[in-house]
Amino acid sequence: MEFERLMKNRDAPHIDYGAFLGLLPNNPKACPCNIDGIIERKGKFLVLEWKRQGESMSEGLRRTLQALAGTTGFQVWVVRGDTDDGLRIGKFYSVPPFGKAKLLGEGVDEFIAVYRLWYEYADGQF
């Protein structure tokens, strides 16, 4: 599949931001978060956060994603799945600036369809 060719190194380690804990005396728990993906088209941004089935999301990441979702030109999706052995997607959600995430769809085929719709929207096709 074309997707797998894009992965430079699927075994690359993730950045551990634990060393940032305590660096800001007024907010010792403040720590950068790792966002999994972002695509831009004509000033519109789609942020993708991937979570494996059953994997939790930290409160800080949740707030960051909601803040991004409230920024003009940004949409944020949380995808339940992985890319360990091809593209595997369960449910995927749109993150609003406030409240709970809204289900967008389920499965690879629906994800691809909605992803393409986002691109058409960002491209100004509708």
Side-chain angles (χ1 to χ4, degrees):
M1 179 178 228
E2 179 75 14
F3 174 78
E4 291 189 25
R5 198 170 56 82
L6 297 175
M7 290 290 291
K8 292 183 179 173
N9 180 358
R10 74 175 53 233
D11 297 321
H14 289 97
I15 300 299
D16 181 357
Y17 288 110
F20 281 71
L21 292 172
L23 291 182
L24 302 173
N26 291 340
N27 189 356
K29 291 184 179 180
C31 190
C33 57
N34 183 332
I35 294 175
D36 295 318
I38 187 167
I39 182 171
E40 182 275 340
R41 179 69 180 160
K42 296 185 177 179
K44 303 277 194 301
F45 297 86
L46 175 60
V47 175
L48 298 173
E49 178 61 31
W50 288 75
K51 292 293 178 192
R52 296 175 185 284
Q53 212 55 39
E55 183 180 1
S56 64
M57 181 181 302
S58 73
E59 179 64 18
L61 178 57
R62 185 191 64 76
R63 285 186 298 199
T64 298
L65 296 177
Q66 285 187 310
L68 285 171
T71 303
T72 301
F74 278 75
Q75 286 188 31
V76 177
W77 297 357
V78 172
V79 182
R80 287 287 179 185
D82 64 67
T83 60
D84 293 341
D85 189 23
L87 189 58
R88 291 190 298 216
I89 296 173
K91 294 179 180 179
F92 57 100
Y93 304 83
S94 175
V95 175
F98 302 99
K100 291 189 173 194
K102 311 283 189 262
L103 181 66
L104 285 177
E106 186 170 358
V108 172
D109 292 340
E110 283 187 30
F111 178 85
I112 290 170
V114 177
Y115 183 71
R116 287 177 174 163
L117 282 174
W118 175 86
Y119 185 87
E120 290 173 9
Y121 152 76
D123 199 40
Q125 295 180 32
F126 65 85

